[in-house]
Amino acid sequence: MRHLSRVVLRPLAAGLALAAVSTAAVHAEDAKKADAKPDPALTNQLNPNDKTAEPDEKLLAKDAAVKVEDGKYTDAAGSPTFHITDNGKKVDWYTYSGYRRYHAECHVCHGPDGMGSTYAPALKDSLKYLSYEEFVGIVVGGKQDVNSSTQKVMPAFGDNKNVTCYMDDLYVYLKARAAGAMGRVRPGEKEDKPEVARKQEKECLGG
């Protein structure tokens, strides 16, 4: 149940189930996948002239794709990840879709391109350490950060299909921003939309 796209018709239940995964189970799965190596054929090709990207070599290595199936790339931990080619000009479908969905649903609070605002954190920084499960849990269930000097409240989006139906898309876009794989630019070219993505989108939105 690592990918929300497999349970898009039950986003709230998915978030709760992910939050309930035991530490032992997570460690066992991580150990099992520890030997997974990046596929040289899936190496990201970044734009060396994009000064807004700020590449983080450790994150780029950690987030490198080791597998692709039906147009969706996954890293060594089995989480969705990005794939960028043609010197940064072309992205996978889910990263492109995540860019669009982020700027439709999230940028009002979290700022354009995940840069943050005076009342919401920069998600390009948050995704440097948040796991896929943690990201899903926060988006679905919300989060409060209240102390004597600040009061930040992230509302729950578990019942917003315009967010939950595109959870993986949002995650990989912000993951690409966090790793510095892409800067503050609108993706140019994109891979074709996978038929699986079309089917899941239709089922999730109830079309």
Side-chain angles (χ1 to χ4, degrees), residues 147-202:
N147 55 49
S148 59
S149 59
T150 62
Q151 182 173 346
K152 297 180 180 180
V153 178
M154 165 77 174
F157 284 88
D159 59 353
N160 185 336
K161 291 185 177 182
N162 288 322
V163 174
T164 56
C165 290
Y166 304 97
M167 192 73 77
D168 287 6
D169 313 41
L170 290 166
Y171 178 73
V172 296
Y173 165 65
L174 291 169
K175 195 173 184 179
R177 288 288 291 125
M182 61 185 297
R184 302 188 64 181
V185 295
R186 179 184 180 87
E189 300 177 41
K190 58 185 180 297
E191 294 181 7
D192 292 338
K193 186 173 184 177
E195 188 58 38
V196 168
R198 296 181 188 276
K199 181 180 179 180
Q200 291 176 341
E201 180 179 49
K202 184 177 180 180

Side-chain angles (χ1 to χ4, degrees), residues 66-125:
V66 301
K67 179 181 177 183
V68 58
E69 184 175 354
D70 295 325
K72 176 168 286 187
Y73 297 82
T74 51
D75 61 20
S79 299
T81 195
F82 51 86
H83 185 233
I84 299 175
T85 55
D86 196 16
N87 288 322
K89 298 176 183 178
K90 188 174 184 178
V91 300
D92 63 278
W93 169 261
Y94 292 94
T95 298
Y96 171 77
S97 175
Y99 170 90
R100 294 179 61 205
R101 295 296 165 180
Y102 175 86
H103 287 87
E105 302 291 335
C106 312
H107 88 277
V108 172
C109 291
H110 290 282
D113 311 306
M115 296 293 289
S117 69
T118 56
Y119 50 90
L123 295 182
K124 77 174 186 65
D125 296 330

Side-chain angles (χ1 to χ4, degrees), residues 136-151:
V136 171
I138 291 172
V139 174
V140 171
K143 181 181 180 182
Q144 293 190 29
D145 184 7
V146 180
N147 55 49
S148 59
S149 59
T150 62
Q151 182 173 346

